[in-house]
Structure formats: structure tokens, C-alpha cells
Amino acid sequence: MMKAFWGRVGWASVALLGAAALAHVAMARGESLNALWLVTAAVCVYLIGYRFYSAWIAANVLAIDATRATPAERLNNGRDYVPTHRWVVFGHHFAAIAGPGPLVGPTLAAQFGYLPGTLWILIGAVLGGAVQDMVTLFLSTRRNGRSLGQMAREEIGPIGGTAALIGTFIIMIILIAVLGLVVVNAMKHSPWGTATVASTIPIAMLVGVYMRYLRPGRVLEASLLGVVLLLASVVFGGWVDHHPVLAAWFDHDGLPLAFSVIAYGFAAAVLPVWLLLAPRDYLSTYMKLGTVLMLAVAILWLRPHIHMPAITPFIDGTGPIFGGKLFPFVFITIACGAISGFHALIASGTTPKLIASEGDIRMIGYGAMLLESFVAIMAMIAATVLEPGVYFAINSPAGVVGKEALDAVNTISGWGYQVTVEQMQHLASAMGESTLFARTGGAPSLAVGMASILGTVFGEHLLALWYHFAIMFEAIFILTTLDAGTRVGRFMLQDMLGNLHPKLGETSYTPSVILTSVLVVAGWGYFLYIGVIDPNGGVNILWPLFGIANQMLAAISLSVATGILIKSGKVNKAWITGLPLLWLLAITTTAAYEKVFSTDIRVGFFAAANDLSQKLASGVLPPEKAAVAPQLIVNQQLDAWLTLFFVAMLWVVVLDMLRMSRRYFAGQPVRPSSEAAYVASRLA
């Protein structure tokens, strides 16, 4: 009784502390906010959400059964279906889902101020993102690790299922291509980052062999070995960077790096999951968590103040970093930090084929998403502790603020955010860079913020080291999403081809593995190649699609989950996925409409393409811009048509789910459940 009493007191205290922190974050105006309030609010919200909401869903909605054998146990083939230690699976899953979104999204969304993005990161993750991840992982695990699209086809119907299969696969190809381009740009002419990232591959293979053959079950030993070697690889990268001969070996332009990334993606898709993918992602998680932990400790120690205002004037859509109003674009920009459809592909791809016990689903599905959300909070803090003038100088394109440094600082100062040329030059020199003006994309400003915080605690004379460490950290973050995404893409394509020829749907059938891996890698590799050789970015113009497509994937996932819950007789509990689905439908449909039909050339794809076409025809473009203008026009138009295609696929899935639900309520036949029969687990 006393233990239960003190437990209630403890959790009540956490709830009150979290409420107080959230209230202070939301109501602070006209004064500098201490970043500690954001950390406190986030931790309390996550603890309450995991302890109570996720436990209720696991027990009362999903009815998770730890005595039930998982696909990894029943279908163990040593390649894709492999019962794996829960912490290794957690590491793999977190590394796979935690791509650029939680880092870049909050950094860019800081254009609106720290408040809107922070609130959505917390609310969206606890009530939406983590629920989607856990429910999708559970449903896929119960269905032999089926992909999201295949579950839609088997559970809802052939029309919605086919739309889900095609839509999710094409979205996946685009997302992986953009991820690959970000990785290539991060490692381009960076011997340090390239050497470190390359070193993680043989280290992962060594750890995989160690855990499977040399010392089976010795996860702690293998983890310590991997961590030591991983830290050594960071030191090795720094040594290579300063070596007159070795630096040249790892100093490459974009095209060779692109081919290397393509080759790595193919290897990650075809090699046994225990040999490369799982141990590499598992070890990368240590670097990710270690860096985030260092950042959290530094924030607790320094208690830095947030310099960005809670809300900026740019909520009206006039922001210099990207066009669009607060609604819906703060939600589209944050993306993975709150809810991500890409997670559903991982949760119905590699992860359900590795889980040894259903009892691990809650920790891996819900817990990993909360951890990613915390990374997003860290990114928001790192971006907003910068002076607003510095933040906008780094992230604003030259076409908006001016090519010359003096023009840029005058423009930004005119907005009310003071910054000087000397200030930016000093900062660039401290970071070991020639300039930090117009370093768009979010990654450089995030690295500057991280380096400033870490450097203050762990040595200001090492700012350049911390800056390049942060850049490398971001590259590893993204690459682990790319490799898992490629393997998931292979599973998705095998599922689709299996509808035409059953043998091609077998994940262990070697000819199918090779064929589908080649097709998937060739798909995203082509777009990556075009993006790298285009002097103006090429496929990089597809980046605005990343957020919209990602949220549409989440809506498709929630549609499938809601339909399965309804037909399973859990109508009164289907709101756990139904309410987030309604919100995402409003967000994605509004964002898609604006990106396609807006007459603002900074928002609408067709508007931007038409404006550029008119300028090209009138001869007002300078020669270098005129040379790439046709490619940019095609890309803008492609963006628009892809957006229309994606939103059409989404609504086909939603309407088919509603059709199936109506039939269920009317007592008419619906497709039978594809859930595998109960088999008792033999694993301890």
C-alpha cells in the first residue's frame, strides 16, 4: 500500500512539474527563456505518455501477448527473420527512424519562433507519432512482418491496398534519394566525416560476427567493443583529416561519394541483417545517443537562454527560409520530430522481423519515437540559442537577403534582428569555415548551435572540432535511415511482386532479393545521380516534398491501423489512431493544395515554374541561371504532379478504409483478418 501511495505521489509530482514547465514555456513573453524549461517540459511529458498512455494502449487496445511466438522466431531464416536481443533491435529501430527530420525540421521551423514547433513536437509525438509506430509495429508483427502496403491490400481491399503499395513505394524512393543527397553533401570534401562514416561499416560487420559466432549472446561485450572502435573511428577521422596523404584518399567530390552510397545501399539490402544493417545501426545509435546526452548535459550545466522569440512575424508566410504560413507548414516542416510516415515503413519492414518477443513492442515502438522527439527538442534548443540575426544569416538564401555579406546583414537587421559582418566572420573562423552566410538546409546552423553549447562546456578552443563533429554526427544520423529504408524498399517491392508471382514475394529467395534490391537502389540512385551532377541541386528541389510525403505516409499508416482496429471489433478504441488521422488529413491536404495551386512563387510549385519560364523567355536571367533553368522548371512541375499523385493515393486509401468500415457497421462481409495463428513461444 505504501509503495503504491508513493508511486502515485511521484507520478503526480512529475505531472505537476511538467504542467508548470509547459505553462512557463507557452506564456513566457518579452524575456529570455531558459532552455532548461524546454528540457523539463519534454522529459515530464514523455514520462507520463510512456508510463500511462502507451501502457494502456498495449494492454487494453492491442492486447500484447509475450507468450506468443513472433515471426522472427517462427520464420527464422538467418537473413531477414532473426530473433534479436531487445536492445539491439531498439538500437537498430531508433537508428533507422531517426534521420534528418528530427535534426533539420525543428531547425528550419524555428523561423516561426520556438513555441509553435516545441508544442507540436511534444503533443504530436505522444499522441500521434509514438502511437502510430507502436500500433504499426504490433500489426505487422502479428502478420508475419508484412509491409504497410501489403497489410492495406490484405485487410482493407485491393483498391486501397494497391494505392497504398504504389504510393508508399514511390514516396520511399523519393525520400531515400533526398536522404542520399544530404549525406553526399555532408561528406563532400570532408575527409574527417567520410573516413569516420566509412569506418563504421567494417566495425559493424566485426560486431555482427562477434555476436553471432565468436561470443553469441554477449551483447554487452560486443557493445563495448563496438563503442570503443566507434570512438576510435572519430579520432581516426580527425587524424586522417590532417594527414597530407590519407586526407586525399577520403577527399572526394559528390559523384564518387554518390556511387559509394549507392553501393552501400545495395550491400545493406542484400547482406544478412545480422552482418551489417542491425549492428551498424545499433552502433550508430550509441553515437547518436551519446551526442544527444552530451548536449543535454551541457544544456543542464549551462542553462543557456533561448534568444529566438516565442513567435516571430514570419508566421504570416513571409519567412526568408521557406514560404508558407504557420498552418500548415510548421507541421510539415517539423515532420519526423512529431510524427513520421517513414517510421511506419520501418515498423512494418525490418523491425518486426527481428523482435523476439511481443513484450518488446511497446519499448521499441513507442519508446524509440519519444527518444527521437527528444532529439528534436535538442535540435530546437541548439537552433534557438543562437542570436536570431545569426540564425537568419546562416539559413536565409542569398537570393532573399543578397549575395554580399553587407547586403545580407543590412536586410536581416532591417527585420529587427541585429547582426554584423564582423560577427559572422568571427563565428566562421571559430568554426573552421570560410563563411557561414547562406548555408541553407538547417544542418550548418544546427552544427553551429551544437558546437557553441558543447564548446562552452568541453572547451571553447575546440569549436572547430565540435562543429565538424556535429556535421559528421548529422551525416551518420541520415545514412542509417538510408540503409534501413533501402532494405524496407526491397521488402515492399517483394510484397508487390509476390502478388504477381508468389516466389518473388519470398524474402529469402535469393534471385528475388537480388532483383528487387537492384531495382530499388537503381530507382533512388538515379535521382541521387541527377541531383549530384546538377550544379543547381537538381533533385534537391524535391526537398519540399519530403515533409508533405512523410506526413501523407503517416496518414496512410493511421488509415490502415484504424481500419484494422474497427474490423477487429475495437470500434470504441479506434480513436487512438482515428483522431491523429483526422488531423493529418487536414494538414496534408491543405499543404498539398497550397504547394500546387498557390500563386505565391515562394510557395506554389506551378507558380514558381511559370515565373522562371517567363524570366527565361524574356532573357532577364544571368547566363549561369539560364543554363539550369529548364531543369529547375521541370523539377518544379514534377514536384506539383507528384504532390497531386500522393494526395490522390492518400484519399483512395482513406475512402477505401471508410468503405470497409461502413460494410462492417452494416453487418456485411469484410476481408478476413490476415493475422497469423497463435503459436506459443519457445524462447525464454
Side-chain angles (χ1 to χ4, degrees):
M1 289 292 293
M2 287 299 295
K3 184 177 181 180
F5 170 77
W6 287 113
R8 295 190 186 97
V9 170
W11 284 111
S13 301
V14 171
L16 290 173
L17 178 61
L22 271 176
H24 186 75
V25 169
M27 299 175 64
R29 295 292 187 277
E31 60 183 33
S32 180
L33 177 72
N34 194 302
L36 200 57
W37 286 107
L38 270 68
V39 175
T40 303
V43 171
C44 291
V45 168
Y46 298 148
L47 289 174
I48 294 293
Y50 185 80
R51 170 61 183 84
F52 296 101
Y53 193 43
S54 73
W56 178 80
I57 293 174
N60 295 286
V61 180
L62 304 180
I64 286 175
D65 185 358
T67 70
R68 187 186 186 109
T70 65
E73 179 184 354
R74 290 185 290 103
L75 306 176
N76 186 357
N77 60 11
R79 179 194 292 269
D80 300 313
Y81 292 89
V82 182
T84 307
H85 192 279
R86 63 187 305 195
W87 287 112
V88 176
V89 182
F90 181 90
H92 154 73
H93 184 77
F94 173 72
I97 66 173
L103 296 174
V104 176
T107 303
L108 299 179
Q111 167 180 271
F112 295 127
Y114 68 81
L115 184 58
T118 298
L119 291 179
W120 174 236
I121 289 170
L122 298 181
I123 298 171
V126 171
L127 300 181
V131 173
Q132 175 213 239
D133 292 11
M134 181 171 70
V135 173
T136 303
L137 180 57
F138 170 81
L139 295 176
S140 180
T141 301
R142 283 284 177 96
R143 288 158 179 79
N144 292 335
R146 285 296 200 191
S147 69
L148 176 63
Q150 190 65 22
M151 284 195 294
R153 183 180 177 86
E154 294 176 351
E155 296 280 350
I156 295 177
I159 297 177
T162 301
L165 278 169
I166 296 174
T168 54
F169 182 73
I170 295 177
I171 290 174
M172 169 71 84
I173 293 296
I174 299 297
L175 296 187
I176 296 176
V178 175
L179 293 177
L181 186 59
V182 174
V183 170
V184 169
N185 288 338
M187 294 193 298
K188 188 162 56 178
H189 296 301
S190 175
W192 189 342
T194 303
T196 300
V197 172
S199 299
T200 62
I201 298 173
I203 292 172
M205 297 177 74
L206 173 62
V207 170
V209 172
Y210 189 94
M211 286 195 292
R212 188 169 181 86
Y213 293 114
L214 300 181
R215 300 278 285 175
R218 304 286 183 172
V219 177
L220 180 59
E221 287 182 18
S223 301
L224 291 175
L225 173 64
V227 169
V228 170
L229 292 177
L230 201 60
L231 293 175
S233 73
V234 178
V235 177
F236 169 72
W239 178 72
V240 166
D241 190 50
H242 294 89
H243 195 281
V245 177
L246 293 179
W249 293 4
F250 293 92
D251 188 354
H252 297 290
D253 203 357
L255 203 54
L257 290 173
F259 287 129
S260 299
V261 169
I262 290 171
Y264 170 73
F266 177 78
V270 300
L271 289 176
V273 68
W274 60 264
L275 180 60
L276 177 58
L277 186 70
R280 187 192 180 283
D281 290 356
Y282 172 62
L283 292 176
S284 296
T285 298
Y286 280 107
M287 175 166 285
K288 296 178 180 182
L289 296 183
T291 304
V292 172
L293 180 61
M294 280 198 306
L295 192 60
V297 170
I299 290 172
L300 293 175
W301 179 266
L302 287 179
R303 298 185 296 280
H305 285 272
I306 303 296
H307 293 108
M308 185 71 70
I311 299 176
T312 70
F314 300 131
I315 58 173
D316 63 358
T318 60
I321 299 174
F322 60 89
K325 296 181 179 180
L326 180 68
F327 181 87
F329 289 103
V330 69
F331 308 102
I332 295 301
T333 305
I334 291 290
C336 304
I339 183 169
S340 170
F342 183 82
H343 295 190
L345 301 184
I346 302 298
S348 62
T350 55
T351 306
K353 298 176 176 66
L354 300 176
I355 287 181
S357 169
E358 280 195 7
D360 300 338
I361 288 176
R362 177 184 168 218
M363 179 192 80
I364 295 167
Y366 201 95
M369 178 59 218
L370 294 187
L371 188 57
E372 175 168 353
S373 181
F374 187 64
V375 172
I377 290 292
M378 293 293 103
M380 178 66 75
I381 292 174
T384 55
V385 295
L386 297 174
E387 293 288 344
V390 172
Y391 168 84
F392 286 111
I394 297 175
N395 286 289
S396 299
V400 174
V401 296
K403 291 184 177 180
E404 301 299 326
L406 186 59
D407 294 334
V409 298
N410 287 337
T411 301
I412 295 168
S413 297
W415 298 335
Y417 305 117
Q418 297 300 315
V419 63
T420 65
V421 175
E422 293 75 20
Q423 182 182 6
M424 292 300 297
Q425 288 176 339
H426 175 74
L427 184 62
S429 177
M431 299 297 166
E433 295 288 310
S434 57
T435 180
L436 288 173
F437 279 106
R439 298 290 298 274
T440 57
S445 64
L446 174 61
V448 170
M450 290 176 59
S452 300
I453 294 172
L454 295 173
T456 303
V457 175
F458 302 108
E460 290 191 11
H461 63 290
L462 299 176
L463 276 177
L465 182 148
W466 286 118
Y467 174 81
H468 288 94
F469 174 83
I471 290 291
M472 179 269 300
F473 156 77
E474 294 171 24
I476 288 181
F477 232 103
I478 298 167
L479 196 59
T480 50
T481 305
L482 181 144
D483 57 25
T486 302
R487 198 175 188 94
V488 170
R490 190 252 286 181
F491 291 147
M492 293 168 64
L493 187 54
Q494 285 182 295
D495 274 346
M496 286 190 282
L497 294 179
N499 294 316
L500 303 176
H501 190 284
K503 194 69 175 176
L504 293 176
E506 296 179 10
T507 60
S508 59
Y509 182 49
T510 301
S512 175
V513 170
I514 301 298
L515 172 64
T516 52
S517 297
V518 168
L519 292 175
V520 170
V521 172
W524 63 258
Y526 169 77
F527 286 104
L528 172 59
Y529 172 78
I530 294 299
V532 170
I533 65 173
D534 190 331
N536 205 34
V539 78
N540 198 33
I541 204 169
L542 294 173
W543 181 257
L545 270 180
F546 184 94
I548 294 177
N550 201 356
Q551 301 301 279
M552 286 184 178
L553 270 178
I556 290 174
S557 172
L558 291 169
S559 295
V560 174
T562 302
I564 293 176
L565 289 177
I566 289 174
K567 66 181 285 189
S568 300
K570 300 176 180 178
V571 178
N572 61 333
K573 296 170 183 173
W575 58 266
I576 66 164
T577 53
L579 290 181
L581 170 61
L582 290 175
W583 179 245
L584 284 185
L585 287 175
I587 292 171
T588 54
T589 305
T590 304
Y593 179 84
E594 293 194 22
K595 292 302 293 184
V596 174
F597 298 110
S598 174
T599 57
D600 184 347
I601 62 173
R602 298 184 62 245
V603 178
F605 290 134
F606 282 134
N610 294 337
D611 178 72
L612 193 56
S613 297
Q614 293 172 3
K615 290 179 179 177
L616 180 63
S618 60
V620 299
L621 294 176
E624 64 275 10
K625 287 189 177 181
V628 298
Q631 182 67 57
L632 298 179
I633 292 169
V634 170
N635 286 339
Q636 291 280 13
Q637 293 171 337
L638 179 61
D639 273 7
W641 288 112
L642 281 174
T643 301
L644 289 172
F645 173 77
F646 291 155
V647 77
M649 292 297 100
L650 167 62
W651 277 101
V652 168
V653 175
V654 171
L655 292 175
D656 206 27
M657 182 271 290
L658 293 176
R659 177 199 60 80
M660 184 273 294
S661 300
R662 180 188 61 78
R663 290 181 61 84
Y664 174 81
F665 291 131
Q668 298 174 336
V670 295
R671 297 178 75 87
S673 173
S674 60
E675 181 176 306
Y678 175 89
V679 175
S681 175
R682 295 174 177 269
L683 298 179

